[in-house]
Amino acid sequence: MTFNYFEHDLASLHEQLVNKEITATELTEATLDNIAATDEQLQAFISTNPDEALAQAKLIDEKGNFDNVLTGIPVGLKDNLATKGIQTTGASHILEGFKPIYNATVVEKLFNNGAVSVGKTNMDEFAMGGSTETSYYKKTTNAWDHSKVPGGSSGGSASAVAGGQVPFALGSDTGGSIRQPAAFNGIVGMKPTYGRVSRWGLFAMASSLDQIGPFTRTVQDNAAVLSAIAGFDAHDSTASQREVPDFSKKLTGDVKGLKIAVPKEYFGEGIDPKVAQQVKAAIAQLEALGATVDEVSLPHTKYGVAAYYIIMSSEASSNLQRYDGVRYGFRADDVKNLEDLYVKTRSEGFGDEVKRRIMLGTFSLSAGAYDAFFKKAAKIRTLLIEDFNKVFEKYDVIVGPTAPTVAYGLGEEVDDPTAMYLADVLTIPVNLAGLPGLSVNAGFVDGLPVGLQIIGKPFDEQTVYQTGYAYEQASHLFDQQPDIATKY
């Protein structure tokens, strides 16, 4: 049997499990059936793990303890999150068949809360891309239009939630890789403050930028999942020791007196006028709910993309040195010596986008280019942080579009890296500054979802969620369902 997740949030699923209207095993079986019924269209999962998932669900049923809202609830995990004994590839040929010997901290936290992992979702290879088209294994489609991209790099997780395969999923966000696919698929995606969630067990791309966060259909569900996965971790030296609040507690729908800043740069050149119109209407709705709205300036926004691609690729070139064919993963055949092993394994194991970023990063860190590129990019990062700090002296949140356009066609930009890089112009500054950012559905343009991005002060996810929840409850856009919902 399949299960219609469009009719249930986490609270209602939890209630059914508590009242024994459904068991964790039945819910897991139904979720696996959901994936089987729709993944030919969505291509959201690289792999599923039915045996392990059903065994996990059976243990939960035997214990019969459903005190936690996530207990017995199936989840999809982005394939760059380590899962013990289950293939984890980063969507790369170089890690095909690799089975980690430990769980990522976020995976362990979900398991401790009783969630059931049903499979690993597709992504851009090593999270390098904005459309989930650089995956070695498959090309995921948008839940609303299967001829369009789902966004990236966490496109598999976004499409799986938007397409009703699972009630929630985890992704990672280095320059917009949760928020942009959430926007393209009309769901809720949160990139928490840097350090709020442990990165231990996440395949690193850019260690000073990466953050793990949840995809859900509603803001309340998203807040519940973040509460479960956030917190200090001794394994991660960048994990914050700040107390983790219950992010769901302040979701009242009341934003009277909230001070909202709208950067003029977020509505400049390159933003689709139809997208801008839809986002402005969403901001007007927040104003009608009692928030005050002012236009502000974030003057260094225009340098964000250039700075990001130097910093990100430099860190990626260092992080990806570990994939050499010696210790784990793919190893090239017919090699003559150690150097030949390295060259052949990495040449055959990595895709074009990964090679492009490794080369760019290695060049940026080289003796002749470090001062001219990496050092200047780091200075721009500081200026961007200062821009945000000035605005947050007077305002509670910053609001604007998540992406400059709606989802584009499969194959449309994959061969034009520059165009794809520029698509992250509105999300990248948030990562460079380490801030929390949320994307919620702001409506539709030509039948495709538009994202409203809400940016908060460091470690103030509660106000971000409060703003998103107020808009969501007023707009009721989460009631909208893609055509694939008829499959359930």
Side-chain angles (χ1 to χ4, degrees), residues 39 43-46 122 132-133 135-140:
D39 213 49
Q43 299 286 299
F45 279 83
I46 289 178
N122 196 29
T132 314
E133 292 177 284
S135 169
Y136 174 72
Y137 300 97
K138 54 174 66 174
K139 288 179 172 59
T140 301

Side-chain angles (χ1 to χ4, degrees), residues 130 175 180 184 305 309 402-405 408 413 417-428:
Q180 184 245 34
F184 279 7
V305 172
Y309 275 95
T402 306
T405 66
Y408 46 87
E413 292 188 5
T418 306
M420 192 172 285
Y421 295 170
L422 290 171
D424 293 333
V425 63
L426 302 173
T427 51
I428 277 171

Side-chain angles (χ1 to χ4, degrees), residues 259 261 296 298 385-399 433 435-436 454-458 460 463-464:
K259 295 178 180 178
V296 298
L298 295 171
I385 292 169
E386 289 173 353
D387 284 351
F388 280 115
N389 288 343
K390 284 177 186 174
V391 171
F392 282 129
E393 285 175 5
K394 296 180 180 178
Y395 297 93
D396 299 308
V397 292
I398 295 169
V399 173
L435 302 173
I454 303 161
I455 304 163
K457 299 174 185 176
D460 191 18
T463 303
V464 173

Side-chain angles (χ1 to χ4, degrees), residues 432-444:
L432 288 170
L435 302 173
L438 181 76
S439 182
V440 297
N441 189 7
F444 297 84

Side-chain angles (χ1 to χ4, degrees), residues 228-439:
I229 64 172
F232 177 67
D233 176 21
H235 290 113
D236 179 2
S237 61
T238 64
S240 171
Q241 297 192 42
R242 286 181 183 239
E243 185 181 345
V244 178
D246 180 349
F247 295 113
S248 304
K249 278 197 171 175
K250 287 193 177 178
L251 302 185
T252 61
D254 182 11
V255 289
K256 287 175 186 172
L258 187 79
K259 295 178 180 178
I260 296 176
V262 179
K264 62 182 181 181
E265 291 82 4
Y266 286 20
F267 291 91
E269 187 180 348
I271 311 301
D272 184 327
K274 291 181 181 178
V275 169
Q277 182 181 2
Q278 201 69 43
V279 171
K280 285 177 180 177
I283 295 169
Q285 192 155 21
L286 284 168
E287 196 169 18
L289 292 171
T292 59
V293 177
D294 292 317
E295 185 179 78
V296 298
S297 178
L298 295 171
H300 295 98
T301 297
K302 60 186 176 183
Y303 303 116
V305 172
Y308 168 83
Y309 275 95
I310 291 170
I311 292 168
M312 175 274 299
S313 61
S314 297
E315 294 185 17
S317 73
S318 176
N319 279 321
L320 269 65
Q321 286 184 60
R322 69 193 71 178
Y323 305 113
D324 53 16
V326 175
R327 287 158 290 190
Y328 44 74
F330 170 75
R331 178 181 295 187
D333 297 324
D334 302 321
V335 296
K336 299 171 186 174
N337 51 45
L338 186 61
E339 183 180 353
D340 197 33
L341 170 67
Y342 291 159
V343 172
K344 278 194 169 182
T345 296
R346 291 166 69 82
S347 297
E348 295 172 23
F350 287 140
D352 289 344
E353 182 61 26
V354 174
K355 292 174 188 173
R356 185 181 293 118
R357 297 196 192 192
I358 289 173
M359 288 189 288
L360 175 61
T362 304
F363 170 75
S364 298
L365 291 173
S366 63
Y370 181 85
D371 287 345
F373 294 98
F374 187 84
K375 197 171 179 180
K376 285 183 180 175
K379 289 179 178 179
I380 290 170
R381 184 178 196 171
T382 300
L383 292 172
L384 279 163
I385 292 169
E386 289 173 353
D387 284 351
F388 280 115
N389 288 343
K390 284 177 186 174
V391 171
F392 282 129
E393 285 175 5
K394 296 180 180 178
Y395 297 93
D396 299 308
V397 292
I398 295 169
V399 173
T402 306
T405 66
V406 292
Y408 46 87
L410 288 162
E412 216 169 275
E413 292 188 5
V414 71
D415 295 323
D416 187 354
T418 306
M420 192 172 285
Y421 295 170
L422 290 171
D424 293 333
V425 63
L426 302 173
T427 51
I428 277 171
V430 179
N431 295 79
L432 288 170
L435 302 173
L438 181 76
S439 182

